[in-house]
Amino acid sequence: MTFQASDGVRLGGRVFGTGHLAIVLSHMGRGSDDQSDWYGTAAMLADHGYQVLTYDRRGVCPGGLRGCSEGDNILNENWKDVAGAYAYLRAHGARRVVLGGASIGAMGTFYAVQHTDIKPAGVVWIAGVLSASAYTFTKATVSRVTAPKLLVAGAGDPYGAAGDTELLSQWVTGPKRLLIVPSRWHGTDMLQPGRPRAVRERIESALLSFLRTVALRGSSPDG
């Protein structure tokens, strides 16, 4: 499928599963990263009754089953892609939408929630950092993200995401869970085949628990 970012750039994506609670999964920012990094996790979440949207960030076009998005590959504009993914799911029947991402995907997600009127039912941050690619997060700005949060990083993350994620957990308000796993891999690299199974299972279990908690909430910012 395709959808538009908030500024009109056409993006290629893929929807897994069905359900009134949906989650967007935004991928990392290295040259080899694309939406297929999330496919295993997306399929697992769909098997548990959730609708999942993965997509290629603007300017990322691996082709074939991995999709193709238009636009220029400008990392600090990916928040517009997040906003567009949220709007697509709400327009196609999702009653609640959780926004999640890894690395630059996590950072664009937080920025979108801070600077637009979207109101996610929850936010998932995996291995983001507090200052990179023209994104900078401070205690004052992250306080705007009041939805429930799941914050994850590997203890040995090569980009320093563990320390930044722990600090972010101290700064944010509202319901939150911090998970630091014993891994030296970055973001969705922790979830790929061949990586330690125990780490992948801990992250997947945390995601499922988080989504169940969101689903059971009596009310959410999404209404």
Side-chain angles (χ1 to χ4, degrees):
M1 46 77 76
T2 62
F3 65 96
Q4 289 186 338
S6 62
D7 60 350
V9 173
R10 185 158 294 279
L11 308 173
R14 184 172 180 179
V15 175
F16 296 75
T18 60
H20 294 305
L21 178 61
I23 179 169
V24 175
L25 296 176
S26 299
H27 67 80
M28 301 200 294
R30 300 166 306 188
S32 60
D33 294 318
D34 59 54
Q35 65 170 325
S36 68
D37 297 337
W38 281 116
Y39 282 178
T41 301
M44 180 275 296
L45 294 176
D47 286 344
H48 283 81
Y50 302 105
Q51 183 177 179
V52 187
L53 171 59
T54 65
Y55 67 94
D56 290 314
R57 188 186 65 250
R58 60 183 58 214
V60 175
C61 182
L65 294 177
R66 295 158 63 195
C68 183
S69 291
E70 299 176 354
D72 297 322
N73 189 356
I74 302 174
L75 290 178
N76 67 327
E77 291 191 357
N78 73 322
W79 66 271
K80 301 173 186 176
D81 306 340
V82 175
Y86 174 90
Y88 175 88
L89 287 171
R90 289 306 305 269
H92 288 79
R95 294 178 183 171
R96 296 179 179 178
V97 177
V98 173
L99 296 176
S103 192
I104 195 67
M107 296 156 67
T109 294
F110 250 64
Y111 189 93
V113 177
Q114 290 172 355
H115 295 280
T116 71
D117 61 356
I118 61 177
K119 295 179 175 61
V123 177
V124 177
W125 162 292
I126 298 179
V129 296
L130 295 175
S131 184
S133 301
Y135 284 124
T136 298
F137 300 95
T138 66
K139 185 176 182 179
T141 60
V142 300
S143 66
R144 302 173 196 163
V145 184
T146 57
K149 288 162 286 290
L150 174 62
L151 310 172
V152 181
D157 185 284
Y159 300 96
D164 280 7
T165 300
E166 289 176 333
L167 186 56
L168 179 65
S169 179
Q170 296 172 25
W171 286 351
V172 294
T173 59
K176 60 190 174 184
R177 180 187 175 186
L178 172 66
L179 175 63
I180 303 297
V181 294
S183 175
R184 61 184 177 87
W185 300 100
H186 183 57
T188 46
D189 290 347
M190 296 185 288
L191 302 172
Q192 302 311 307
R195 302 292 188 249
R197 180 176 177 179
V199 169
R200 183 176 70 254
E201 289 180 345
R202 282 189 65 185
I203 296 172
E204 290 179 346
S205 177
L207 275 169
L208 286 170
S209 178
F210 182 72
L211 291 176
R212 283 194 294 266
T213 299
V214 169
L216 290 171
R217 286 172 62 87
S219 61
S220 80
D222 276 318

